[in-house]
Amino acid sequence: MLNFLILLFAASLDYLIGDPVSWLHPVQVIGWFISQFTNLVLHQDPETKQRSPKFSPLIMKILGSMLAIAIIITSAIVGWLIVFFAAQINSIFAIAVATILLAACFAGRSLRNAAESVLRVLQTANIAQARQELSRYVGRDTDDLSEVEILRAVLETVTENAIDAVTAPLFYAIIGSFLFDYGGIALAIAYKASSTLDSMVGYKELPYRDLGWFSAKTDDVLTWLPCRLTVLTLAIISGKPIYVWKLCQRDAIQDPSPNSGWSECVYAAILQVQLGGENRYRGVIKQKPLLGIAIVEITPTKISQALSLTRTCFLLWLSLTAIIIFITAKYSPS
């Protein structure tokens, strides 16, 4: 029951406040250690600023594997120890600390704030400023995007990050909560560490190709189950699960990522829009597979609906967890 209360408080805190900009975030700490390690194993040309591996591909893969394992396990242990030592001081203090740490693993409010910040600027018809605001949240080039392309970029960001920023951390927090005291914090932070590793070094291009190979694979594996459960949940919520699932099976598998294609496609299917297409990254055009059927255009309303779907899935998982805990407590021997 204590673990569920922490889970409930953390979900409420993320919904009401999100991540205060002035607070030190666990991901920032994790990111700092990753950066320090990459500085040790990558060479940077002082003139061109180009980075390159210092060692052979095999050695870089070994070093990258060691980095990922160390960061993920250490993050889980440190997160758990912080709450454990807080509990030695005062139980209420421990709940407060655990709530703040776990809330930092959820990014539902941050994702909504990011989307709404771009939409607010777009409503003023200032395309140039909207492009600049969008560039804070996406990796693609935004300088020449039209309003339609900006809306697609926002929706793709909202739907792609719905898993690794919202439902996957919740999934591991729930699993951990059933395993041991403060287990939700340990597993959720471990997942965020994996996700941070993937976003920082999990690239297929040099200089990170070999260094980030293990991190990318690990994040793919850890995200696979919560991603499929999210797709299944959203498909059921939509009222047309067979249609949504078949469309995802048709389109999502075209994406090279084992998870992001599914994450984006389920929203596209439910909202009856089409995602994917041509994007530019540092001037290089990349063609992403088309996901869904363009029955209607992407609008700010569709983006709001996507955010609401994510929130509904989140609340449904919390409710099911509460029901399982209630049934377990009611029928367990006293």
Side-chain angles (χ1 to χ4, degrees):
M1 185 59 70
L2 173 63
N3 284 343
F4 179 72
L5 286 176
I6 293 171
L7 192 58
L8 189 61
F9 292 156
S12 302
L13 185 62
D14 176 65
Y15 178 75
L16 296 172
I17 300 177
D19 296 321
V21 178
S22 59
W23 289 22
L24 180 65
H25 197 283
V27 168
Q28 291 177 291
V29 178
I30 294 169
W32 184 85
F33 282 103
I34 296 171
S35 296
Q36 298 308 302
F37 187 88
T38 57
N39 289 339
L40 291 175
V41 300
L42 295 178
H43 171 74
Q44 179 168 302
D45 188 290
E47 295 183 0
T48 64
K49 304 300 180 182
Q50 294 288 331
R51 307 186 85 186
S52 59
K54 289 184 178 180
F55 309 102
S56 69
L58 177 59
I59 297 299
M60 292 301 290
K61 281 189 174 183
I62 293 173
L63 291 172
S65 301
M66 293 170 58
L67 168 68
I69 293 170
I71 289 289
I72 293 171
I73 293 178
T74 302
S75 297
I77 293 174
V78 170
W80 185 87
L81 284 176
I82 289 173
V83 183
F84 174 78
F85 285 119
Q88 309 310 304
I89 300 173
N90 181 274
S91 59
I92 302 299
F93 178 61
I95 292 174
V97 171
T99 296
I100 293 171
L101 281 177
L102 187 54
C105 296
F106 304 143
R109 181 60 180 264
S110 297
L111 195 59
R112 179 180 291 274
N113 288 345
E116 290 178 346
S117 70
V118 178
L119 294 179
R120 278 195 299 271
V121 176
L122 203 56
Q123 287 176 348
T124 67
N126 190 332
I127 298 296
Q129 189 177 348
R131 291 168 181 159
Q132 185 177 2
E133 184 68 16
L134 177 65
S135 68
R136 297 173 54 198
Y137 308 109
V138 300
R140 72 189 70 181
D141 298 341
T142 63
D143 294 343
D144 300 319
L145 295 185
S146 64
E147 180 177 348
V148 171
E149 291 170 324
I150 291 173
L151 289 171
R152 175 168 71 87
V154 174
L155 186 55
E156 286 176 351
T157 299
V158 165
T159 57
E160 181 180 358
N161 288 287
I163 307 296
D164 57 12
V166 184
T167 60
L170 176 62
F171 171 81
Y172 285 104
I174 291 172
I175 296 300
S177 296
F178 282 107
L179 295 179
F180 53 93
D181 286 345
Y182 312 124
I185 291 90
L187 293 196
I189 289 180
Y191 177 78
K192 293 301 291 185
S194 172
S195 180
T196 305
L197 281 159
D198 181 55
S199 64
M200 292 185 67
V201 299
Y203 299 100
K204 294 182 179 179
E205 299 84 15
L206 289 173
Y208 299 107
R209 183 179 61 203
D210 299 307
L211 179 66
W213 171 83
F214 188 84
S215 294
K217 293 297 182 183
T218 300
D219 188 67
D220 286 345
V221 170
L222 292 178
T223 305
W224 192 93
L225 182 55
C227 177
R228 290 343 182 250
L229 290 175
T230 302
V231 171
L232 181 60
T233 304
L234 293 176
I236 294 172
I237 292 172
S238 73
K240 44 186 180 181
I242 296 177
Y243 166 78
V244 171
W245 188 262
K246 285 185 176 180
L247 193 57
C248 287
Q249 285 184 314
R250 188 195 75 178
D251 294 349
I253 59 174
Q254 307 303 321
D255 195 290
S257 167
N259 298 309
S260 63
W262 284 83
S263 177
E264 292 183 37
C265 192
V266 65
Y267 286 92
I270 295 172
L271 300 174
Q272 299 183 314
V273 299
Q274 189 173 73
L275 299 177
E278 184 179 288
N279 295 330
R280 284 189 299 112
Y281 299 88
R282 300 183 184 90
V284 179
I285 296 176
K286 291 188 177 181
Q287 193 72 29
K288 294 192 66 177
L290 297 175
L291 306 172
I293 303 172
I295 298 174
V296 297
E297 294 182 349
I298 299 172
T299 62
T301 300
K302 291 295 180 182
I303 294 170
S304 297
Q305 290 174 353
L307 291 165
S308 296
L309 283 169
T310 303
R311 186 65 187 167
T312 301
C313 180
F314 188 95
L315 292 174
L316 183 58
W317 285 13
L318 271 182
S319 301
L320 290 175
T321 303
I323 292 171
I324 293 171
I325 291 174
F326 175 78
I327 294 175
T328 303
K330 183 175 181 180
Y331 292 100
S332 62
S334 55

